Amino acid sequence: MKDRNRLVFALVLACAVMLSAPFSTQAQGTPRIIEITAKRFEFTPNVITLKRGEPVILRVKSTDVTHGFFSKQLKIDEVIEPGKTLDVKITPQTAGSFTLICDHFCGSGHGNMKMSIVVE
Amino acid sequence: MADSIERRKFLRIASMSMGIGTLYKVAPLLGAGREAHELGVSLKESNGESIAPFTFVQLSDAHVGFSGPPDPLGTKAFEQAVAMVNALPQRPDLVLFTGDLTHDSEVKDEHAKRMRQFQQIAAQLKVPKLVCVPGEHDAGLDGGQLFRESFGPTNYSFDYRGVHFVALDNVSRAKPELGAEQLAWFKKDLARFPKTAPIVVFTHRPLFDLKPEWEWFTSDGDEAMNVLAPYKNVTVLYGHIHRDDEHVIANTHHYAARSLIFAFPDPEKVADKKPIPFDKEHPFKNLGIRVVNHNVKKPPQASSFSIEDVELSLREYSGINGIQQILKPVSL
């Protein structure tokens, strides 16, 4: 019985640790979630690092206007509406550094609104 | 091989020159034989425009309202472009402006003021016809409303002396795309023409993937290219990239005009999309003009344009006395 209690405690503790992590690490097979905020004219964070073959969810939101979320190389082509959360599921297969841009015109600094996705 | 050498020469010369846009000379199909004659008859029947030589100028990316850095000269290059066009020995019949007439402003009245300023400067052009397509800085924030109030529709077509011109709008939807409705219109618009008809498409962004990471593309541009694919004599003129570029894709020749505000570098040579720094000794460096001649000896199945460079310099900014025009004929 004690062993069982220890096991339950360990599981609860593990869950608490996972939920408190900046990038929540889910159980094996469940995608890692990375939160990204878009506002004119930047993405935060502007660099994220992924592992090749690792499924992840990019959870994206806009804090001001509508933005685009586009990477030709990673086959991402989405629109981020303010007030909504967008989940983009990807499993990068190729190592490298990929540029993701806002491709929904959002003002005079739009042309340089971008972030990097590094795949190791 | 000769062509590739000439092409390198053209690019080298272009990178040295400065100026204001592109001048096109068109003598469609004259002297091109029986097939051309038949096409001429067909075109006249379809659009009422008889085939006759003419010239036109492409200007692009004036960004009226933009203030430096990197370009503290404001509208000076645009104004110089107008003066230079007016001073051409052969007055062009037509001026095409391929977008970013203005720099955007979130304040509607300010943007309208910039559009009026563009119109005031453009009104000084002593040409019979000025046509424009919007850039994302003109139409990306309001869906093209101000542009339509100022100029009319953002996509349209017209026939001019035997050449069919099509204006495509790949900015008003905010994303770099044409959209299904416009593509359907485009297909229908071209359907009445024979496959040898000379067609000039003008738009803001490149229709192909020139550099998607810099937003130099149109996401559904390949669908427009599919519409154009059966046609054998197609030229696509665009702006947006603030530098000269030319691509040949199947039967379609794509030419980018330089900007009238500042230049972007070669994306193959730099990592970041940053304007080329302003050089007060050569303020119009990397802004340019090209003369395109319709080659009347080639049949319409082949590319029938050739290009000349015009190198300009201005006394006020470069120390060279007056405006110099150096025409360098090039065969592309």
Side-chain angles (χ1 to χ4, degrees), chain B residues 275-286:
Chain B
I276 295 173
F278 180 70
D279 177 355
K280 67 179 182 181
E281 296 298 321
H282 303 283
F284 297 145
K285 190 176 181 180
N286 297 308

Side-chain angles (χ1 to χ4, degrees), chain B residues 17-28:
Chain B
S17 66
M18 47 191 173
I20 53 172
T22 307
L23 172 69
Y24 292 84
K25 292 180 181 177
V26 183

Side-chain angles (χ1 to χ4, degrees), chain B residues 53-88:
Chain B
F54 67 100
T55 65
F56 66 97
V57 171
Q58 181 194 6
L59 302 176
S60 203
D61 295 86
H63 287 261
V64 170
F66 179 86
S67 54
D71 183 355
L73 296 179
T75 58
K76 285 194 185 313
F78 183 24
E79 291 166 18
Q80 181 56 31
V82 171
M84 187 264 178
V85 170
N86 289 340
L88 285 170

Side-chain angles (χ1 to χ4, degrees), chain B residues 156-157 164-166 184-193:
Chain B
Y156 51 92
S157 67
H164 185 59
F165 288 85
V166 185
W185 167 84
F186 184 39
K187 188 173 183 180
K188 187 178 178 183
D189 180 75
L190 291 189
R192 64 193 167 103
F193 290 98

Side-chain angles (χ1 to χ4, degrees), chain A residues 105 110-111, chain B residues 58 60-61 63 98-100 135-137 170-171 176 203-206 210-211 214-218 238-243 256-259 262 264 273:
Chain A
F105 188 75
H110 162 80
Chain B
Q58 181 194 6
S60 203
D61 295 86
H63 287 261
T98 46
D100 284 354
E136 78 276 17
H137 289 276
N170 53 11
V171 300
T203 187
H204 182 61
R205 291 183 169 111
L210 180 54
K211 183 74 173 177
W214 288 16
E215 210 188 51
W216 290 3
F217 75 109
T218 300
Y238 64 99
H240 186 59
I241 70 169
H242 292 216
R243 58 181 288 106
R258 299 174 190 183
S259 165
F262 59 78
F264 280 123
K273 180 187 173 188

Side-chain angles (χ1 to χ4, degrees), chain B residues 4 6-7 23 78 82 91 125 128 142 177 194 201 207 224 263 286 313 317 320:
Chain B
S4 64
E6 289 301 324
R7 192 163 301 180
L23 172 69
F78 183 24
V82 171
R91 187 71 54 83
L125 283 164
D142 69 356
E177 63 188 19
V201 173
L207 292 179
N286 297 308
S313 52
Y317 298 108
I320 297 173

Side-chain angles (χ1 to χ4, degrees), chain B residues 238-256:
Chain B
Y238 64 99
H240 186 59
I241 70 169
H242 292 216
R243 58 181 288 106
D244 50 73
D245 192 84
E246 57 103 359
H247 267 69
V248 179
I249 303 171
N251 294 322
T252 310
H253 293 242
H254 301 251
Y255 298 103

